[in-house]
């Protein structure tokens, strides 16, 4: 995903004459490609002073490495954990801990001795607890909620991951800045707790009849 700035989004709204319209009379869609290659689709809705936004990325379960299935879904969750500017009380203190956790995971992935792997994992747990004390869980959700946001969510499917939110129209600049920050400078924190959440979602989907039918058909 390429980062973008809010003036570019505003330009898309203001320069609609230069964009192409698609669809029937009941729904017009303005399509514009920004200088950074990002495609923007806009459908004006005068019924209420709000906007609903989806950011669609070409990354889904189909693209997971064979040795790391579920990676796209896990990434979806981690992209809600903030950046160096939000999601933490002290990033300068947190960063060395996160770097150490990353290094330990790399060591563990290369270690074949199960006893040594267990020792490394215990160290990962210890440092993760220390890092978690500095993190601010769900701060991104809180920021959007304080702006009057609703429907803050995301989903991962076979060939896509989609991030979505509904906000008051006067918050479009704030939305663009937050999303640009989220995609350009993410910080992957709270690994352990989020992994448990992903597992729980997976377990629920296993018992979902619609999901089971879809997997069999496709």
């Amino acid at each position: 995903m390429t980062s973008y700035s809010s003036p570019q989004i505003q330009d898309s709204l203001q320069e609609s004459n230069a964009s192409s319209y698609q669809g029937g009379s009941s729904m017009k869609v303005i399509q514009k490609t920004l200088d950074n290659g990002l495609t923007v689709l806009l459908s004006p809705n005068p019924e209420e002073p709000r906007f609903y936004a989806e950011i669609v990325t070409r990354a889904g379960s189909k693209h997971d490495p064979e040795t790391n299935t579920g990676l796209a879904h896990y990434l979806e969750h981690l992209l809600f954990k903030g950046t160096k500017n939000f999601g933490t009380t002290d990033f300068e203190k947190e960063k060395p801990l996160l770097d150490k956790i990353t290094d330990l995971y790399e060591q563990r992935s290369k270690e074949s001795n199960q006893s040594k792997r267990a020792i490394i994992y215990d160290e990962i747990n210890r440092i993760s607890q220390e890092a978690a004390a500095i993190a601010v869980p769900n701060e991104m959700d809180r920021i959007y909620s304080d702006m009057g946001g609703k429907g803050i969510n995301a989903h991962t499917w076979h060939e896509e991951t989609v991030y979505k939110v509904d906000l008051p129209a006067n918050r479009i600049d704030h939305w663009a800045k937050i999303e640009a920050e989220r995609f350009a400078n993410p910080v992957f924190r709270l690994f352990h707790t989020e992994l448990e959440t992903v597992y729980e979602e997976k377990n629920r989907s296993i018992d979902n009849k619609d999901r089971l039918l879809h997997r069999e058909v496709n």
Side-chain angles (χ1 to χ4, degrees), residues 119-211:
I119 292 172
I120 295 172
Y121 196 72
D122 287 343
E123 182 67 2
I124 290 173
N125 275 330
R126 186 188 68 79
I127 299 176
S128 293
Q129 291 176 17
E130 189 176 347
I134 305 171
V136 182
N138 304 316
E139 185 167 25
M140 187 172 192
D141 288 13
R142 181 190 60 77
I143 291 171
Y144 272 144
S145 294
D146 288 348
M147 291 181 187
K150 57 185 181 181
I152 305 159
N153 209 339
H155 76 259
T156 301
W157 202 233
H158 300 309
E159 296 183 344
E160 67 182 30
T161 304
V162 182
Y163 301 84
K164 38 205 168 184
V165 67
D166 182 314
L167 286 163
N170 63 355
R171 292 296 190 177
I172 192 166
D173 278 1
H174 298 90
W175 166 80
K177 290 174 182 177
I178 290 170
E179 295 299 332
E181 174 81 3
R182 184 224 290 251
F183 283 101
N185 303 297
V187 172
F188 300 143
R189 52 174 63 94
L190 299 171
F191 303 130
H192 276 31
T193 54
E194 208 55 41
L195 190 57
E196 292 172 4
T197 301
V198 172
Y199 280 143
E200 178 59 29
E201 288 187 4
K202 176 63 176 177
N203 290 335
R204 289 202 307 269
S205 72
I206 291 174
D207 297 328
N208 185 293
K209 293 181 180 179
D210 291 337
R211 291 284 183 91

Side-chain angles (χ1 to χ4, degrees), residues 60-61 63-65 68-78 156 198:
S61 59
H63 306 100
D64 286 341
N68 290 283
T69 57
L71 194 61
H73 187 196
Y74 192 32
L75 177 61
E76 171 212 313
H77 281 247
L78 290 179
T156 301
V198 172

Side-chain angles (χ1 to χ4, degrees), residues 1-11 13 34 36 38 40 51 53 55 86 140 144 147 165 167-184:
M1 168 60 67
T2 307
S3 64
Y4 52 88
S5 62
S6 55
Q8 289 175 300
I9 299 295
Q10 292 287 24
D11 287 346
L13 290 167
L34 304 184
N36 61 15
L38 188 71
V40 178
F51 71 94
I55 296 179
F86 63 90
M140 187 172 192
Y144 272 144
M147 291 181 187
V165 67
L167 286 163
N170 63 355
R171 292 296 190 177
I172 192 166
D173 278 1
H174 298 90
W175 166 80
K177 290 174 182 177
I178 290 170
E179 295 299 332
E181 174 81 3
R182 184 224 290 251
F183 283 101

